[in-house]
Amino acid sequence: MPIKIGLVGAGEVTQTIVLPNLRLLSDLYEVNALCDISQQTLEHVSTKFNIKQTYTDYTQMIEEGDIEAVMVLTADEYHAPIAVEALQHKKAVFVEKPMALSQQAAALIIKARDENNGVVFVGYQRRYSPAFEEAVQIVRGMSSISYCRVRDIIGPNSIFVGQSGTFPRKYTDFPETSSADMKRRSSEIAEQALGSAETDSQAYNLYRLLGSLGSHDLSAMRELLGIPKGVCGVSNTTPSNAGGFFTAMFDYGGFVAMYETGVDQVGLFDAHIEVYGDGKRVKVEFDTPYVKGLPVKLVVGESDKDGRYIERVVRPTYEDAYTIEYKAFYDAVRNGKQYKTTADDARCDLEIFKMITDAFVRQDK
């Protein structure tokens, strides 16, 4: 029986990735409701995807909509309050990463989940790709690791979205109060996470980059290697979601992991994780999620007994990671199946974000 679901947030990701996938999974999902603060966005998306119930107030959708689950696809500032309210109304929750941006907000989500015996499934689609899961098994079986590189350097999303064949539209008819409300929520996050309500600092810009682009990589790194012991050092660059580059080196005891991230103007999606150990190199290559069907690849390189380099490329499936992830959410809600991207798991990312940001702040003193 399909899950009756309502979506909060009808922006680019919803139009390009989420709704096209849910429509193709019509045996699993019935999209009954849509909420967005832009009336023009609501009208366009609901018409395009034939969604009957529309709302500009997520509370009203949660209380009145013919739904049993909520997908949280809004700006990051609103993830936690929407998730908590949905759980309090006995709705299963799928929340895109980052689940929350402060330990206090994460604790509220976990508390609401536990009090209502709810499901909180966090959207880390890369971790559901079979190529990544196969790499996890190989890496966890290594007797020793020498080095790891985590890279996510990409061009503007507009390049990939423009060639996705989904034709999303953007509107700007936002309520007059929305900008001030977002600024207030951003200040609260800054105060809770970093101890200062200042939202134009380099530290806060870095923290928000880690919560957006960085959370994909750092969450996957955690599953492969665990939480690092600390940060050996960071670059003195000043990145943000708008561009720039940043590098951090993590201490894993017997080895280090180098994290490289940035946004430039080149139309290339260069995202991978590579682990060196046991005489082999194990690499997972990710492509843009905005173009459906691009496979995630596993590349294993090693030398044979004669010193010849042998490279094995594995494409376990052409089914995209979002589709696999949405199937896992269905199984969690309908069949009570265990899943790995829980609220408790997602909360661990905040520890790494803070670890990196603290190292960045220390180097400036």
Side-chain angles (χ1 to χ4, degrees):
M1 182 171 60
I3 295 172
K4 296 179 179 180
I5 197 164
L7 278 56
V8 186
E12 186 173 84
V13 171
T14 300
Q15 295 179 50
T16 306
I17 298 172
V18 179
L19 279 169
N21 274 294
L22 292 181
R23 282 307 188 204
L24 291 171
L25 291 169
S26 57
D27 57 325
L28 303 183
Y29 293 98
E30 183 179 313
V31 183
N32 281 0
L34 181 68
C35 177
D36 198 277
I37 61 172
S38 162
Q39 189 63 51
Q40 288 180 303
T41 300
L42 267 182
E43 291 173 0
H44 169 68
V45 179
S46 63
T47 300
K48 183 174 180 177
F49 291 96
N50 192 29
I51 303 171
K52 303 301 183 184
Q53 302 171 31
T54 60
Y55 303 88
T56 55
D57 181 346
Y58 67 81
T59 296
Q60 186 180 9
M61 186 195 83
I62 291 169
E63 292 179 346
E64 300 177 7
D66 181 20
I67 58 174
E68 53 192 308
V70 172
M71 268 193 169
V72 184
L73 307 162
T74 60
D76 298 345
E77 287 86 347
Y78 295 88
H79 286 191
I82 297 171
V84 168
E85 188 158 345
L87 288 163
Q88 290 172 340
H89 285 81
K90 309 297 183 182
K91 312 297 184 186
V93 170
F94 180 105
V95 55
E96 261 300 337
K97 60 79 195 168
M99 176 189 74
L101 284 167
S102 72
Q103 291 288 352
Q104 294 91 325
L108 289 174
I109 294 173
I110 291 170
K111 181 174 182 287
R113 178 203 63 190
D114 293 346
E115 289 177 346
N116 295 281
N117 193 29
V119 170
V120 179
F121 190 112
V122 185
Y124 289 113
Q125 88 280 355
R126 289 184 186 178
R127 291 173 59 188
Y128 285 90
S129 64
F132 174 75
E133 293 186 325
E134 188 170 336
V136 170
Q137 295 305 311
I138 296 172
V139 170
R140 288 182 178 175
M142 288 180 170
S143 59
S144 65
I145 295 174
S146 303
Y147 181 68
C148 175
R149 181 173 61 245
V150 182
R151 174 180 287 182
D152 205 340
I153 297 175
I154 64 172
N157 280 334
S158 59
I159 294 176
F160 312 113
V161 172
Q163 299 177 56
S164 67
T166 56
F167 310 106
R169 292 186 184 177
K170 292 184 178 181
Y171 299 93
T172 58
D173 59 320
F174 305 126
E176 291 183 3
T177 57
S178 62
S179 178
D181 185 65
M182 183 172 287
K183 287 181 180 178
R184 177 183 64 80
R185 292 175 186 270
S186 293
S187 293
E188 288 178 358
I189 290 167
E191 178 67 40
Q192 291 177 351
L194 302 179
S196 168
E198 186 180 356
T199 58
D200 58 358
S201 68
Q202 293 179 2
Y204 185 70
N205 286 336
L206 171 61
Y207 189 81
R208 293 303 300 268
L209 173 66
L210 297 172
S212 55
L213 179 61
S215 56
H216 280 301
D217 316 298
L218 299 173
S219 176
M221 183 184 78
R222 273 196 302 104
E223 185 169 346
L224 272 174
L225 306 174
I227 296 178
K229 296 178 181 295
V231 175
C232 303
V234 298
S235 62
N236 61 357
T237 49
T238 55
S240 71
N241 285 335
F245 290 81
F246 180 77
T247 302
M249 182 185 292
F250 296 106
D251 175 16
Y252 273 96
F255 68 96
V256 299
M258 186 67 74
Y259 170 58
E260 309 164 353
T261 190
V263 180
D264 61 12
Q265 298 302 309
V266 179
L268 179 67
F269 199 94
D270 182 9
H272 68 258
I273 299 178
E274 187 168 18
V275 178
Y276 299 68
D278 276 7
K280 61 171 66 76
R281 300 176 183 183
V282 180
K283 183 178 184 180
V284 185
E285 297 180 351
F286 303 97
D287 214 322
T288 176
Y290 286 105
V291 179
K292 187 174 176 62
L294 297 179
V296 179
K297 295 189 299 183
L298 169 64
V299 181
V300 181
E302 55 191 326
S303 294
D304 66 11
K305 60 182 179 59
D306 298 318
R308 298 177 303 173
Y309 176 70
I310 309 295
E311 188 171 271
R312 183 167 61 96
V313 178
V314 183
R315 296 181 181 89
T317 181
Y318 282 90
E319 187 173 41
D320 66 276
Y322 274 100
T323 297
I324 297 169
E325 177 183 57
Y326 294 162
K327 288 180 177 179
F329 179 53
Y330 178 89
D331 277 338
V333 176
R334 274 285 177 264
N335 304 319
K337 189 173 179 180
Q338 295 296 308
Y339 54 99
K340 59 185 177 181
T341 53
T342 63
D344 304 274
D345 171 88
R347 191 176 189 177
C348 295
D349 283 348
L350 298 173
E351 183 179 341
I352 300 179
F353 300 166
K354 187 65 162 54
M355 192 184 296
I356 296 172
T357 308
D358 285 349
F360 179 80
V361 171
R362 283 196 302 270
Q363 75 169 1
D364 284 343
K365 292 183 178 179

